[in-house]
Amino acid sequence: MDVHVVVAPVFGTNCCVVVADTAHPDGRRDCVVVDAGAGTAGPVTELVAERSLLPRAVLATHGHVDHTWDAAELCRRFDVPLRLHAADVYRIADPFGTIGRGGGSAAATSVSDALVQALDGFGCTPRDYAAPERIEPFEGPTAEVVAGDVTLHARHAPGHTEGSTLYLVDGSDGGAGVLLSGDVLFAGGVGRTDLPGADVEAMLTTLRQVVRPLDPALGVVPGHGPTTTVGRELATNPFLPA
């Protein structure tokens, strides 16, 4: 499968378009969109048209609004559902309240204020947010998220949020594939655990039991920032426990 990355202008969220290898008789290939951050709907729609793609779903690695802001618009345009782990579904209806805006900790208030400021620079306010009409959650520690000819292997990875999820994309022609790590694993870092619903112990367990056993050859597209590999992070990331 191919993975195309569109960087959102708000908070630099990495929105990924995962494209199936096989084409339909009309030449179109199925795809899914992962982490539709603010400002990605336009570029993703252009990519879909240019590459003759057929979107089957919008996915989220977790329910934070910088990863879901444009989900409703893309779901509406392509008549597809939003899919994410059931533990984070509650965040979709109240994205700012669930990051602590209006009564959270100092850290949460700082993040929510920074997000509101970034949205303002893009010409949006929290009142402009809309939730997708169709949400199809999945549950459990592992799941296969199938959308048309696209299959992503989901690994529940709580810690940053209760429903944080890693998506593994199989490589073409026997390659190692790609990990879409959301805000769990970054190049040189890991997701923060000082926001509402985060849990330090859950994150440590995720890093030890879910991340460390992964194939070191996997490429990694994190939720923000540069790409990396699992092997590089296992060797150099100071936050990964032995």
Side-chain angles (χ1 to χ4, degrees):
M1 295 188 190
D2 296 328
V3 178
H4 302 275
V5 180
V6 175
V7 181
V10 176
F11 266 32
T13 304
N14 289 326
C15 173
C16 297
V17 181
V18 181
V19 182
D21 291 325
T22 56
H24 294 286
D26 63 3
R28 293 190 295 173
R29 290 190 292 167
D30 289 340
C31 72
V32 297
V33 181
V34 182
D35 284 351
T40 60
V44 167
T45 301
E46 292 175 6
L47 179 69
V48 165
E50 290 169 0
R51 304 239 173 202
S52 297
L53 304 180
L54 181 60
R56 295 294 194 178
V58 174
L59 279 64
T61 57
H62 62 293
H64 282 161
V65 69
D66 55 316
H67 293 253
T68 63
W69 181 274
D70 274 5
E73 179 61 22
L74 287 172
C75 289
R76 183 191 64 79
R77 290 184 186 185
F78 301 126
D79 191 22
V80 298
L82 172 65
R83 306 207 63 193
L84 75 166
H85 196 278
D88 264 17
V89 168
Y90 79 100
R91 295 178 178 274
I92 302 303
D94 183 18
F96 290 93
T98 57
I99 57 172
R101 183 166 175 79
S105 66
T109 299
S110 174
V111 169
S112 59
D113 286 350
L115 178 56
V116 170
Q117 189 173 34
L119 287 168
D120 182 67
F122 188 62
C124 298
T125 74
R127 292 187 300 275
D128 298 318
Y129 173 81
E133 293 184 2
R134 292 168 56 198
I135 299 176
E136 296 180 3
F138 53 87
E139 300 185 63
T142 64
E144 284 199 344
V145 182
V146 180
D149 287 337
V150 179
T151 299
L152 287 86
H153 308 282
R155 301 290 183 269
H156 187 208
H160 180 63
T161 67
E162 306 93 327
S164 287
T165 301
L166 307 177
Y167 294 114
L168 282 74
V169 181
D170 290 332
S172 300
D173 301 322
V178 177
L179 175 72
L180 310 183
S181 63
D183 287 3
V184 173
L185 179 68
F186 300 114
V190 298
R192 60 191 300 164
T193 55
D194 57 351
L195 302 177
D199 185 292
V200 173
E201 291 304 317
M203 176 65 85
L204 291 174
T205 298
T206 284
L207 296 174
R208 185 172 53 251
Q209 297 183 1
V210 182
V211 174
R212 287 203 67 86
L214 294 170
D215 183 351
L218 280 169
V220 178
V221 181
H224 308 268
T227 59
T228 183
T229 66
V230 169
R232 184 180 304 144
E233 297 314 304
L234 291 176
T236 64
N237 193 315
F239 298 96
L240 283 175

